[in-house]
């Protein structure tokens, strides 16, 4: 069936998907047409496969409009009640929420991302979106997962109007961060109430690992361990960062293919050794296939613990694709793999 589509299907599909994303970014708001055309293309593919006919163009059409649709939540967002954007530039409001990332300390302030649970005395439903909080003054020690309460004004991000400038506002929106709040440390209160169930389970695990590292190491070693294990670089000093840059190994501090590859190789070797003791799997030549499937579990868990930055996401996807090829038992195509 692949020969009836293209020799290398991923390349035109990828180009169609990217084209759809670009079109959705510059001409948003046509969701209805995109849904209808994507559904029609998918139906045409189903009919073509059922009748054993070629569906050469239809997958391109489907991927084109799927690409258009995936960018719409950011290109043309529909803000529900309780969303952060509905409170921009209002009077100071009472905000309760949970810290999303490990706070970064600067000389006179602490900065972190907060997922609000409620905004205002009588919020219109659960709060949506995230905000950046800058705490000025003598801020207490804060960690990812801490629950805070404070009063502040949510302000919109601003861009400089220089030609060819970096679009900081859009960059923050793409990260689901919609506003910024400045608050004095004396007005900040750390509460003991639990965060919503299941909301930050992975962040709680990251926080426990971070605190365990703090109890076993100090100073720069602790900062390097956090960067290598959970992707937190806030404790690495500018001097050490510059030393890594001068040595040409600064990429070691950003969790990517090297780190995920080490986890995958170690897990695959362990699972393959373990499964070879199960005779039914050995007789059916399923030890490598089983090891590949089981290796996906620690790889994905490690990616989540590392924060799933873009470089981590890319590495997890590439390693997962490579592991799944053990199940296909077909010759690989270098262009499609790339």
């Amino acid at each position: 069936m692949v020969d009836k589509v293209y020799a290398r299907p991923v390349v035109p599909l990828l180009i169609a998907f990217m084209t759809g994303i670009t079109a959705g970014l510059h001409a948003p708001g046509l969701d209805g047409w995109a849904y209808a055309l994507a559904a029609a293309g998918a139906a045409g593919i189903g009919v073509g496969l059922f009748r054993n006919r070629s569906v050469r163009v239809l997958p391109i059409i489907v991927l084109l409009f799927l690409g258009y649709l995936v960018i719409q939540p950011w290109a043309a967002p529909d803000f529900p009640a309780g969303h952060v954007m509905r409170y921009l530039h209002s009077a100071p409001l009472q905000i309760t929420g949970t810290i999303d990332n490990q706070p970064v300390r600067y000389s006179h302030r602490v900065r972190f991302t907060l997922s609000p649970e409620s905004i205002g005395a009588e919020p219109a439903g659960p709060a949506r979106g995230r905000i950046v909080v800058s705490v000025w003054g003598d801020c207490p020690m804060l960690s990812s997962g801490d629950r805070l309460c404070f009063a502040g004004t949510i302000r919109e991000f601003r861009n400089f109007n220089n030609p060819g400038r970096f679009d900081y506002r859009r960059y923050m929106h793409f990260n689901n961060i919609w506003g910024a709040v400045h608050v004095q440390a004396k007005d900040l209160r750390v509460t003991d109430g639990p965060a919503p169930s299941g909301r930050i389970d992975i962040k709680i695990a990251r926080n426990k690992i971070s605190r365990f590292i703090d109890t076993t190491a100090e100073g720069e070693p602790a900062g390097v361990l956090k960067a290598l294990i959970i992707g937190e670089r806030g404790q690495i000093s500018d001097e050490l960062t510059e030393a890594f840059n001068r040595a040409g190994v600064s990429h070691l501090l950003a969790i990517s293919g090297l780190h995920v590859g080490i986890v995958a190789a170690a897990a695959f070797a362990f699972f393959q050794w373990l499964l070879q003791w199960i005779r039914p799997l050995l007789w059916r030549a399923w030890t490598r296939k089983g090891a590949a499937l089981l290796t996906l579990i620690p790889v994905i868990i490690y990616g989540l613990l590392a924060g799933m930055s873009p470089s981590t996401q890319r590495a997890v996807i590439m390693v997962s694709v490579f592991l799944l090829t053990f199940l296909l038992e077909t010759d690989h195509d270098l262009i499609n793999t790339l």
Side-chain angles (χ1 to χ4, degrees):
M1 184 58 66
V2 172
D3 293 338
K4 294 184 178 181
V5 186
Y6 341 90
R8 287 174 174 163
V10 177
V11 175
L13 296 181
L14 176 64
I15 294 174
F17 192 70
M18 295 168 61
T19 303
I21 292 176
T22 305
L25 190 61
H26 292 90
L30 301 176
D31 304 44
W33 284 100
Y35 276 115
L37 293 172
I45 292 175
V47 172
L49 294 177
F50 179 76
R51 296 182 177 180
N52 200 26
R53 293 180 180 177
S54 174
V55 291
R56 182 179 299 273
V57 179
L58 292 179
I60 295 178
I61 295 176
V62 171
L63 266 294
L64 175 68
F65 290 106
L66 284 181
Y68 181 93
L69 290 171
V70 298
I71 200 66
Q72 292 309 296
W74 294 271
D78 181 19
F79 301 114
H83 195 279
V84 168
M85 292 294 285
R86 295 186 178 272
Y87 299 97
L88 292 180
H89 304 292
S90 58
L93 298 170
Q94 195 72 16
I95 302 172
T96 301
T98 307
I99 298 178
D100 262 347
N101 62 333
Q102 188 63 23
V104 179
R105 288 187 170 270
Y106 300 95
S107 55
H108 300 293
R109 64 187 175 102
V110 176
R111 191 171 188 264
F112 53 85
T113 304
L114 188 88
S115 289
E117 300 170 19
S118 63
I119 301 176
E122 297 180 357
R128 306 289 182 86
R130 298 190 298 165
I131 57 177
V132 169
V133 180
S134 295
V135 182
W136 298 83
D138 188 13
C139 181
M141 290 299 299
L142 299 174
S143 298
S144 173
D146 287 347
R147 193 165 180 261
L148 308 177
C149 183
F150 56 89
T153 299
I154 303 176
R155 305 187 184 278
E156 188 177 9
F157 296 110
R158 295 187 301 171
N159 286 332
F160 292 105
N161 293 322
N162 300 325
R165 70 190 185 280
F166 173 67
D167 195 337
Y168 179 67
R169 181 189 295 115
R170 188 172 72 177
Y171 168 78
M172 297 301 284
H173 289 177
F174 276 12
N175 285 279
N176 195 31
I177 302 175
W178 302 89
V181 176
H182 294 264
V183 61
Q184 294 296 322
K186 60 183 179 63
D187 300 324
L188 189 71
R189 181 164 56 92
V190 180
T191 65
D192 296 327
S197 175
R199 185 173 180 179
I200 58 164
D201 291 345
I202 210 69
K203 292 184 176 62
I204 291 175
R206 298 183 73 219
N207 190 35
K208 289 182 178 180
I209 295 174
S210 177
R211 290 180 176 176
F212 175 76
I213 292 174
D214 287 333
T215 61
T216 55
E218 297 179 357
E220 297 288 11
V224 173
L225 282 174
K226 289 183 181 181
L228 295 176
I229 297 174
I230 56 177
E232 291 183 359
R233 303 176 60 178
Q235 287 186 228
I236 298 180
S237 65
D238 295 338
E239 292 76 12
L240 185 59
T241 301
E242 179 63 21
F244 272 89
N245 291 337
R246 288 180 177 274
V249 292
S250 59
H251 61 280
L252 295 178
L253 299 177
I255 294 179
S256 57
L258 174 65
H259 308 73
V260 177
I262 292 174
V263 172
F268 184 83
F270 170 75
F271 287 128
Q272 189 173 21
W273 171 84
L274 185 64
L275 295 180
Q276 72 181 1
W277 297 97
I278 304 177
R279 290 188 175 183
L281 295 179
L282 191 62
W283 292 337
R284 292 172 174 80
W286 248 85
T287 54
R288 297 186 69 188
K289 294 180 181 179
L293 285 176
L294 291 174
T295 301
L296 290 174
I297 299 174
V299 165
I300 294 174
I301 291 176
Y302 178 68
L304 292 173
L305 288 175
M308 275 298 185
S309 66
S311 61
T312 307
Q313 291 180 39
R314 180 180 66 242
V316 169
I317 292 172
M318 293 183 69
V319 169
S320 299
V321 169
F322 174 76
L323 291 171
L324 290 175
T325 59
F326 285 94
L327 303 179
L328 301 179
E329 294 185 335
T330 58
D331 293 336
H332 73 276
D333 185 294
L334 181 61
I335 300 298
N336 282 341
T337 303
L338 179 62

